[in-house]
Amino acid sequence: MAQDNALPMLSAQPVQTCAWWSRSSTRLGVLVVLAVLSVVAFMTVGVQADWTFVLQHRGTKVLTMVMVACALGMSTVVFQTVTHNTILTPAVMGLDALYLFLQAVLVLVLGSVGVVGSVGVVGLGVYPKFGLEIVLMVALSVALMRWLFTGNSRSLHLMLLVGMVMGILFRSMTSFVMRMIDPNEFATLQDRMFANFNTIHSQLLWPALLLLAVGAAYFWQRRHVLDVLALGRDAAVNLGVDYQRQVQRLLVVMCAMVAVSTALVGPVTFFGLLVANMAYQWMGTRRHQWVLPAAVLWGCVLLLAGQVVLERVLGFNSALSVVVEFVGGLVFIYLLVRKGKQ
């Protein structure tokens, strides 16, 4: 009789697994449909010009927004998994602040358009400037990790603390440099302080796409390792994971993807936090085979649909990144208060 009673319990487990898999697939499918509808709406709403020009102009924006959604969505999920904290973002590493400081220094030293005998920021070249920004941001992050990440369980928290301090330092130095810049050139710097999807250099799309594709493929290949890392350091080590090496590699790839996104469109601090937590809530699971694509799809929906609503429906001319940062900041405060109560 005991064996007869155990049979339904054993057979119920595969049924529950299939039901959970079907539910997760359905929710992810809904996000795919929403993302496709957002792309169609962005490409077709308010079209009054030649379709060839529209497809080329808006297609560049769509590709840029998809790349930013992929870079920041996946990077934030990986960063929160490694740090075991859902209210942290890669911005605490100081990459955004370093980007702003670099822009201020370039305008101060070279000028916006340059004078006789000098190049200027505009004449520096698209590829050299793009490469310089990525190299400096990745180099800072790698140096920080090699200095602090020694395998000690508290070294990760020390790295986050130092990253936040360096972010404050770079912002203070940026404010100081801005006071030394010619007022006539300040407008050039001010345009670079916020993410902008309207002035993207088409020459940068393919190298940025290649770099982000490599990073996204690496994260997807390590999705099962990320599930183990989410259990904690001790559990991951007991299950045979080389914790220190895996975390270091994941953080380097994460920093590279954030650096590419920041150099492409500018700093977006709270966007990754917003889409990552939306992915957690929507999927109802922390398994990375579902959360990673969900974060990317939510990012595409927010950027594309938000741009359509902001420009075509409300008729506003403000940058979408400002609205996203405002909403993301509210979400950050909410998560902070909720976690404090827990």
Side-chain angles (χ1 to χ4, degrees):
M1 292 294 293
Q3 294 179 352
D4 295 338
N5 293 332
L7 290 177
M9 297 177 61
L10 294 175
S11 61
Q13 186 175 1
V15 174
Q16 294 176 356
T17 303
C18 293
W20 173 82
W21 184 278
S22 177
R23 182 174 65 252
S24 299
S25 301
T26 301
R27 293 182 177 182
L28 194 62
V30 172
L31 285 182
V32 172
V33 173
L34 290 176
V36 172
L37 292 177
S38 300
V39 172
V40 173
F42 184 83
M43 296 293 292
T44 57
V45 173
V47 175
Q48 299 178 353
D50 181 51
W51 274 102
T52 303
F53 172 78
V54 170
L55 292 176
Q56 181 179 2
H57 179 66
R58 296 192 181 182
T60 301
K61 288 186 179 181
V62 169
L63 181 58
T64 302
M65 291 182 181
V66 171
M67 289 193 297
V68 171
C70 178
L72 297 183
M74 298 185 75
S75 297
T76 304
V77 170
V78 171
F79 189 72
Q80 291 178 349
T81 299
V82 172
T83 58
H84 307 289
N85 196 322
T86 57
I87 64 174
L88 291 179
T89 67
V92 300
M93 300 293 294
L95 294 180
D96 294 347
L98 176 61
Y99 172 82
L100 297 178
F101 176 67
L102 179 61
Q103 301 302 315
V105 170
L106 288 176
V107 174
L108 176 65
V109 175
L110 301 178
S112 58
V113 295
V115 295
V116 179
S118 63
V119 178
V121 175
V122 177
L124 185 61
V126 177
Y127 293 114
K129 183 174 178 295
F130 183 69
L132 177 64
E133 292 167 352
I134 294 177
V135 169
L136 288 179
M137 286 187 283
V138 174
L140 171 69
S141 303
V142 173
L144 182 63
M145 286 182 289
R146 290 181 64 87
W147 177 40
L148 297 174
F149 203 86
T150 60
N152 193 320
S153 60
R154 288 175 291 182
S155 61
L156 183 60
H157 298 86
L158 180 60
M159 182 182 66
L160 296 176
L161 179 60
V162 174
M164 295 176 66
V165 173
M166 293 184 66
I168 297 174
L169 173 63
F170 283 128
R171 289 186 179 90
S172 300
M173 294 172 64
T174 302
S175 300
F176 175 73
V177 172
M178 289 173 62
R179 295 179 181 273
M180 302 172 61
I181 294 176
D182 190 325
N184 296 325
E185 297 179 343
F186 182 77
T188 302
L189 177 61
Q190 193 174 25
D191 292 338
R192 303 176 186 272
M193 304 294 286
F194 302 97
N196 192 348
F197 299 96
N198 297 321
T199 58
I200 304 299
H201 294 284
S202 58
Q203 305 97 311
L204 299 179
L205 291 180
W206 296 116
L209 180 61
L210 177 61
L211 294 174
L212 293 178
V214 173
Y218 182 83
F219 284 156
W220 182 252
Q221 185 184 13
R222 294 293 189 273
R223 62 189 183 278
H224 301 302
V225 176
L226 288 168
D227 291 336
V228 179
L229 293 178
L231 300 176
R233 175 187 172 87
D234 296 336
V237 172
N238 292 332
L239 291 173
V241 175
D242 190 347
Y243 184 85
Q244 179 177 346
R245 179 176 298 179
Q246 292 293 339
V247 170
Q248 284 182 339
R249 291 178 177 178
L250 289 169
L251 288 177
V252 169
V253 176
M254 179 272 298
C255 292
M257 294 185 68
V258 174
V260 171
S261 173
T262 305
L264 187 63
V265 300
V268 186
T269 305
F270 293 111
F271 176 74
L273 174 72
L274 182 60
V275 298
N277 283 275
M278 290 178 68
Y280 297 144
Q281 295 296 326
W282 178 260
M283 298 306 302
T285 180
R286 294 298 178 89
R287 291 192 177 184
H288 291 80
Q289 64 177 348
W290 303 109
V291 174
L292 287 175
V296 175
L297 292 171
W298 270 124
C300 295
V301 171
L302 289 181
L303 290 179
L304 294 169
Q307 193 74 28
V308 172
V309 173
L310 191 66
E311 292 183 357
R312 310 300 173 184
V313 178
L314 300 179
F316 292 163
N317 293 323
S318 59
L320 176 63
S321 60
V322 177
V323 180
V324 171
E325 291 291 83
F326 175 74
V327 177
L330 293 179
V331 173
F332 174 75
I333 296 174
Y334 168 75
L335 294 174
L336 197 62
V337 172
R338 189 181 67 175
K339 191 166 185 177
K341 291 181 179 180
Q342 293 177 351

